[in-house]
Amino acid sequence: MTLLIDRKEDVQFGVMENKSWRKPVYETHGLNLWYGTTHALKNIDLSINEKEVTAIIGPSGCGKSTYLKTLNRMVEMVPNVHISGSLSFKGENILDKSMPVELLRSKVGMVFQKPNPFPKSIFENVAFGPKIHGIRNKAMLEKIVQESLEKAALWDEVKDRLHTSAYGLSGGQQQRLCIARCLAVDPEVILMDEPTSALDPVSTLKVEELIDSIKNDVTIAIVTHNMQQAARISDRTAFFLNGDVIECDATSKIFNNPSDKLTDDYINGRFG
Amino acid sequence: MTLLIDRKEDVQFGVMENKSWRKPVYETHGLNLWYGTTHALKNIDLSINEKEVTAIIGPSGCGKSTYLKTLNRMVEMVPNVHISGSLSFKGENILDKSMPVELLRSKVGMVFQKPNPFPKSIFENVAFGPKIHGIRNKAMLEKIVQESLEKAALWDEVKDRLHTSAYGLSGGQQQRLCIARCLAVDPEVILMDEPTSALDPVSTLKVEELIDSIKNDVTIAIVTHNMQQAARISDRTAFFLNGDVIECDATSKIFNNPSDKLTDDYINGRFG
Amino acid sequence: MHINHDITENSEKSIRELIEQKRQQRNFKEMFEKSIPTFLFLIASISILTTIGIIYTLLSETIEFFKRVPMTDFFTGTVLKPLSQTPEFGVLPLIMGTLTSSVIAMLVAAPIGLMSAIYLSQYASDKVRKVFKPLLELLAGIPTIVYGFFAFTFVTPLLRQLIPGLEATNILSPGIVMGVMIIPMIASLSEDAMSSVPNSMREGALGLGATKLEVTRKVVIPAALSGIIASFVLGISRAIGETMIVTIASGSTKNFTFDITQSMQTMTAYIVEVTGGDAATGSTIYYSLYAVAMTLFVFTLLMNLLARRISRKFREEY
Amino acid sequence: ACGTDENQSENSNATELEGSVVIDGSGTVYPLMAKIAEEYMINEQGNVSVEVSRAGTSAGFKKFLVENGTDFNDASRQIKDEEAAEADALGIEVKELKVALDGLTFVINKENDWAKELTPEQLISIFKADGGVTKWSDINPEWPDTEIKPMGPNENHGTYEFFYENVLEKQDLADTVNLQQDYSTLVNLVAEDKNGIAFFGFGYYVNNTDKLQAVHVDFGNGPVEPSLDTIAEDGDYADFTRPVFTYLNVNHATDKPQVLDYAVYLMNNVNNFAGEAGFAPIPEAEVEENIEFLNGLTK
Amino acid sequence: MVRRIKFRLALNNLSKYIFLLATLFGLLVLSVLIYRVVADGIGWLNFDFLTGKLSTQPERAGIMGAILGTFWLMLVVTPVTMFIGVGTAIYLELYAKKGKIQSFIETNISNLAGVPSIVYGILGLTVFARAMNLGNIALAGGLTMSLLILPIVIVASQEALRAVPSPLGEASYGMGATKWQTIKNVILPVALPSILTGAILSLSRAIGETAPLVVIGIPALLIPFPGSIFDKFTVLPMQIYYWTLDSSLTAEYANLAAATIIVLLLCLLVLNSTAIVIRNKFQKQY
Ligand SMILES: Nc1ncnc2c1ncn2[C@@H]1O[C@H](COP(=O)(O)OP(=O)(O)OP(=O)(O)O)[C@@H](O)[C@H]1O
Ligand SMILES: Nc1ncnc2c1ncn2[C@@H]1O[C@H](COP(=O)(O)OP(=O)(O)OP(=O)(O)O)[C@@H](O)[C@H]1O
Ligand SMILES: [Mg+2]
Ligand SMILES: [Mg+2]
Ligand SMILES: O=P([O-])([O-])[O-]
């Protein structure tokens, strides 16, 4: 156990406790989700707080991605999905169909496991969001692209090849490009689904640093299968198992002194 | 660090040192492999010893599966694969094309990440290998099927439904069925590629127990992304990174006192 | 960076505010967006209109035909003499011609197509496949009129040297050529079926030391069986509907026979004969055209439904 | 093949015509009509499009006898009373134009060295039902003891009708007669079959003399070989000769100058092209008569 | 065991050659066919033949009319099938709810794909040529051909759309793009090469198709070049058909038919190669 505590301190974990006053951005109550007859989320109660990094961990198939995709209603893309319960974003129930998903999604960015840039130039990738939301002014777009790439710590690497294909970038650069693409519409929340699991160590580090650098401006929910990563970068951690939230608490608490035996077993690699 | 040492002791790791006299089944020298222009294995030197469990760990894409598939030449299924260097199985160079792969593969079984039973009955699945190798006698086949299923700790669960489709089994049962299918041809080596990563905790445990129970008879090479699993079940561990073997040593050594900084970083989740 | 006053003005606002502002002006776009599904649905319904058109056209004239010729005469008659002084309208000779030529075609296409599929999907190296597949596709792309010409000017004379007694127009030659035409279709559909057998299953068998032949016979073909059968059924359907090859090479004798060395007429060739020939609108022969076309349509429809059923079952397996 | 466009406008008539002339009908007449149409477009009126189809005589009449139907209908038989009545009902004035003479020719295989000469009675016995002849030896015991393979064009064709009505005199055809839609099929069948015998228009024989030989028919005055001379109006083969026609929609001819112009050209030239297309010419007097009629329409 | 393996391997090798022979059979027929056609027709293939007007005399017959007719036909078929085909595919893949209507339309399309071409000819004759009173002009032929190949274009476009990696669409939706924005900006551009490949292959089917036009009725002699889609027309395969039929009247027509086949096959070869080039160029880019 000592190992993990040691590592926490390396990444200045102490701040966390001060954050407990933060107000929730998302509040989930009794959320159930079925894919056809598969009950993928079972009566979830969970909050995600403003300007915190919330890590979601759990074994494969436990519903992590599903939960994340519910937060921006991307999960509705799957046919035959049924949702019940309540899920509010800044006090507004987003499961209510009257809320336009486009508006929600422009406020809630998403980054996926595999980098998924569009087969367009780097510039066009970042400008995509602003453009579809109606910003046409060229100078304005240039400004947004530059700012977003700077925030994503990618500007210096790509500023000379903005108009070349995004596919020419390395995997890690592509993933940061995807984050830049999110940042370009000035989101309030960014959802990340195992954003580093396809990346090499160096790129992983860069993405983690990037998360660290934006977390004062944006709320972040991140799914990861790497427990050390969760421990390093998150303020709070939620442990999912079989569609249930087994435990959700401050990260230091989860990793050092989990309340649930299952959490303990999982954290310590006894399964999964 | 203490954490891991503690856990080692739980699974009686002490035996390992006594095994160092074991003779190598596989010897790899300067093995290089290219997929087209991708250099997937770079000058690998590695031995796999008789009746030991060798774990192969490393981040995604480092060449673990590729190396494993080279051991039974399944890798040649991929078009445009080029191999150089030497790889001997019990003293015979198996990269030499004059050796029929069918013979090699009947001695070297393989278990895959996702259970892949044939769309046939449970019985037919297990009898498949013996049948293609010319065993037609019904009583003989029945005996082989029963013994293999018993070794795979599956007999009791399926003995009443031998002639029903293998697809009716749970994921964990299917995986054990695949192991039984290997055992039916009495292999000398079994190669396992993340055999438990698609399984639930309970099934994982069963497969691990199964590995433990057969390891006195068969040589096992197992790829796993779960470091605790490697620590629990293996005698030796090889750490791959970017197509290279960074370090290969007794498991206790690797996990407690790795010689290489990279190994240490990986084991402790600093990347991957 | 050069900044014009437009942005300076805009950049007072954050991106978010800009986006919100743009949202207010989106009414027209939203209406446009909302109308798209309806518009596309209308386009998609053209295919349904086509079906309705076909069925309506065929059915209305067929009904007229059956007012003049009893249905039983049509479906059980073995004599077709539409223009004779004492006309007879038995469709059986045409059905016989159609089935005979289709069976011959399948006897050629099924084994050769399947073996080609096996070769391409299981044995051929990537390079070989890259050369052979487009060549086979070429075979599929050759217009049927060209096959007809080939059957008539080359295959028939060749066969006549091998088979004494083979008539100058016969059902054998176009049958064989139709078979050749269908080979690529069966090859490619069966290949699809075999390649969609998960690789893991193939690996499982190979890992046990099975040879490619054993993997193919014991794992791949059983697993792909319904897909393969579906490809055969589609092949038959294609043969039944084929027109130009038989029109050119099998003559127009309305023979009710099993003798493949003789000239026979298929349903499709009959339609060509009647439309290209002396069919006066309003005559019984003219209506017989629709009755035969309807029969042909029903035949191929049943085949397609069957193939679809079989292959759906196949797809459910994985 | 082209390039003559400029010359033709020079030597054409004073008036430049355009528009189309639509011709359908008999397949037998088609080759003759196509040749004349082509020459007309090359030498006379380059901007007129003369389209020639060949749905067959009766099908052609159906397209001819409707409002805005075809301008001409080729026919290898005379218009039937019903058809004429229908024209009257529609107010279509129809003018029959005889264009050529065709000899019904019986062809046999090149290797057939016995049945080179036959009488009409022998021919009838081969083709009619219960004619008592199925083998060559039934006609002449010295001839081979093999089945005769009679064949001919099917009921779609005016040629069939002529054979059935004028030769067989409406007696039934034997079931064994192999009736085909396409003349090319018949040519091939006989060319490949030693025992084959078929009948069709002279044109299909004369273009295939390398593959077929024609039966010389003995009408009582010794065997006559069908040829352009013998099939003429009062030639020795006249018994098996029939006239072929085209029918003009007179209303169209008065409304559309190009139709009339073509009709005149047609009549002026039928006899020049007949031989080339395998037909015998018609008497000049008949031609003159028709041209006079057409000229009458101009006023 | 080793002996058995030798036997099994031998059997494996033997069957490999049998399968290879079967594959080669098709290719053998292909080469004989091409050889025969070229041998018969190449001597007649020259500039005058390609650019000349149709004629009853073989020496001066040309196929420019048929080439232009094919062109006008395609000028109808291409936009009609692309518009309806891609539109239908987008509806089915991206808009239609997976349910009864969608599966009804899909079943319907797959059945239409199996309807013999001659039946489309009857439909075209009844609806376009007669009911709409278009007669046998290129527009009527083109619309008939469009209906004929529409199912193929739809299915090919559906496959192309389905093959667009879902992460791309997800990325776009995740940015708050509307459905149509996502389709227009992301999905269609990515699917376009495959859609084009499928469309080109189906168009080549329309170019080679004869039966429906036989039913609609194409004049056997049509000398003037068609000048628009409203003119009567003939196409290459029809010319081959007529010349094959008339070869018993004029033997050289068989050579003309063969020469026309060469031209037709070359057209198709060019189209198919274009399709293959497009496919290979854009394959596996994502
Ligand atoms: N599109 C879908 N249709 C049907 N079932 C689905 C679908 N997506 C996921 N599921 C099921 O829902 C459950 C939760 O899936 P989910 O993808 O959320 O898991 P996860 O925790 O993200 O797993 P992983 O770590 O493997 O990504 C699983 O049982 C899965 O099989
Ligand atoms: N069939 C293939 N064709 C081309 N490249 C391949 C192929 N399979 C693997 N590779 C590449 O070879 C490298 C090693 O792949 P391999 O599958 O051995 O990795 P791995 O260590 O098993 O990864 P994982 O943990 O994700 O299974 C990777 O870069 C991969 O992209
Ligand atoms: Mg997931
Ligand atoms: Mg792997
Ligand atoms: O085509 P016909 O002239 O025989 O009617």
Side-chain angles (χ1 to χ4, degrees), chain C residues 219-252:
Chain C
V219 178
V220 178
I221 291 188
L225 196 61
S226 34
I228 292 170
I229 292 175
S231 83
F232 290 176
V233 177
L234 283 178
I236 297 176
S237 160
R238 181 78 192 275
I240 291 176
E242 174 42 40
T243 309
M244 296 320 286
I245 302 178
V246 279
T247 300
I248 291 184
S250 80
S252 52

Side-chain angles (χ1 to χ4, degrees), chain A residues 144-212:
Chain A
I144 295 175
V145 168
Q146 173 165 1
E147 280 175 6
S148 311
L149 285 170
E150 276 168 356
K151 277 193 216 153
L154 195 61
W155 176 248
D156 290 331
E157 291 163 56
V158 302
K159 63 168 180 267
D160 301 323
R161 48 193 278 205
L162 281 180
H163 296 283
T164 63
S165 166
Y167 284 36
L169 299 177
S170 76
Q173 288 173 323
Q174 287 187 10
Q175 194 61 301
R176 279 180 286 146
L177 177 66
C178 292
I179 298 176
R181 189 171 61 183
C182 278
L183 292 173
V185 287
D186 198 8
E188 299 172 30
V189 180
I190 296 187
L191 311 173
M192 299 183 172
D193 195 352
E194 310 196 13
T196 65
S197 70
L199 304 185
D200 59 292
V202 179
S203 305
T204 301
L205 189 66
K206 288 208 172 156
V207 171
E208 287 185 10
E209 280 167 0
L210 165 57
I211 291 173
D212 207 57

Side-chain angles (χ1 to χ4, degrees), chain D:
Chain D
C2 65
T4 44
D5 298 33
E6 282 147 47
N7 313 346
Q8 79 195 38
S9 47
E10 277 164 36
N11 58 22
S12 69
N13 301 348
T15 45
E16 283 267 352
L17 298 173
E18 49 185 34
S20 62
V21 177
V22 182
I23 307 172
D24 207 329
S26 161
T28 310
V29 183
Y30 169 80
L32 174 63
M33 196 52 108
K35 279 199 163 63
I36 297 174
E38 183 180 1
E39 287 307 315
Y40 175 75
M41 283 183 272
I42 292 175
N43 297 327
E44 289 288 318
Q45 295 288 355
N47 293 325
V48 172
S49 164
V50 184
E51 302 158 13
V52 191
S53 303
R54 46 171 178 201
T57 304
S58 307
F61 270 123
K62 277 294 167 186
K63 295 188 192 173
F64 183 71
L65 297 173
V66 289
E67 233 177 289
N68 293 322
T70 50
D71 301 318
F72 291 86
N73 190 50
D74 298 338
S76 56
R77 59 163 168 81
Q78 242 171 338
I79 191 167
K80 289 181 185 165
D81 293 345
E82 311 95 83
E83 287 160 347
E86 204 179 332
D88 279 347
L90 284 164
I92 297 174
E93 191 189 332
V94 178
K95 171 68 181 164
E96 174 180 291
L97 303 170
K98 190 188 281 186
V99 290
L101 298 173
D102 178 34
L104 184 71
T105 305
F106 289 84
V107 293
I108 52 175
N109 190 273
K110 277 269 171 188
E111 286 175 40
N112 183 330
D113 54 6
W114 56 92
K116 291 180 163 190
E117 294 168 3
L118 292 170
T119 63
E121 292 70 34
Q122 287 171 330
L123 286 168
I124 290 168
S125 68
I126 291 175
F127 281 93
K128 85 169 191 182
D130 312 317
V133 173
T134 56
K135 294 175 174 174
W136 294 109
S137 55
D138 294 337
I139 302 176
N140 184 336
E142 288 168 25
W143 293 357
D145 189 25
T146 50
E147 297 271 347
I148 306 176
K149 295 271 182 64
M151 37 199 138
N154 66 16
E155 300 92 331
N156 270 347
H157 294 275
T159 309
Y160 171 91
E161 271 176 67
F162 175 77
F163 178 75
Y164 175 74
E165 286 177 18
N166 298 24
V167 179
L168 285 189
E169 294 176 323
K170 301 203 174 180
Q171 307 179 69
D172 281 348
L173 252 76
D175 280 346
T176 48
V177 180
N178 183 350
L179 297 179
Q180 292 292 331
Q181 164 71 12
D182 293 315
Y183 290 111
S184 54
T185 311
L186 291 172
V187 169
N188 280 299
L189 284 170
V190 178
E192 304 280 354
D193 196 329
K194 221 171 161 177
N195 295 306
I197 178 167
F199 63 89
F200 40 61
F202 179 71
Y204 284 91
Y205 160 66
V206 83
N207 283 296
N208 291 291
T209 47
D210 54 330
K211 295 183 197 156
L212 308 170
Q213 52 178 333
V215 175
H216 299 199
V217 185
D218 188 344
F219 295 100
N221 302 317
V224 183
E225 180 185 4
S227 72
L228 288 181
D229 293 335
T230 55
I231 62 176
E233 184 90 325
D234 33 66
D236 297 335
Y237 203 78
D239 286 6
F240 278 180
T241 294
R242 54 169 174 164
V244 293
F245 311 90
T246 191
Y247 287 85
L248 169 66
N249 181 326
V250 176
N251 311 9
H252 288 187
T254 40
D255 290 352
K256 298 191 256 180
Q258 74 274 18
V259 174
L260 182 58
D261 190 57
Y262 179 70
V264 173
Y265 181 85
L266 172 72
M267 290 322 295
N268 275 321
N269 287 277
V270 272
N271 282 346
N272 305 339
F273 287 98
E276 204 183 314
F279 294 90
I282 48 174
E284 278 305 322
E286 286 183 37
V287 174
E288 290 304 327
E289 210 175 287
N290 283 332
I291 291 179
E292 219 164 276
F293 170 84
L294 293 172
N295 285 337
L297 295 178
T298 336
K299 282 133 215 170

Side-chain angles (χ1 to χ4, degrees), chain B residues 35 38 40 59-66 78 194:
Chain B
Y35 290 114
T38 315
S60 192
C62 65
K64 306 182 294 292
S65 301
T66 303
V78 180
E194 309 197 12

Side-chain angles (χ1 to χ4, degrees), chain A residues 68-85:
Chain A
L68 209 66
K69 282 193 278 184
T70 312
L71 297 181
N72 68 349
R73 287 180 53 189
M74 285 282 279
V75 77
E76 286 167 25
M77 310 275 309
V78 179
N80 285 319
V81 163
H82 299 283
I83 310 180
S84 72

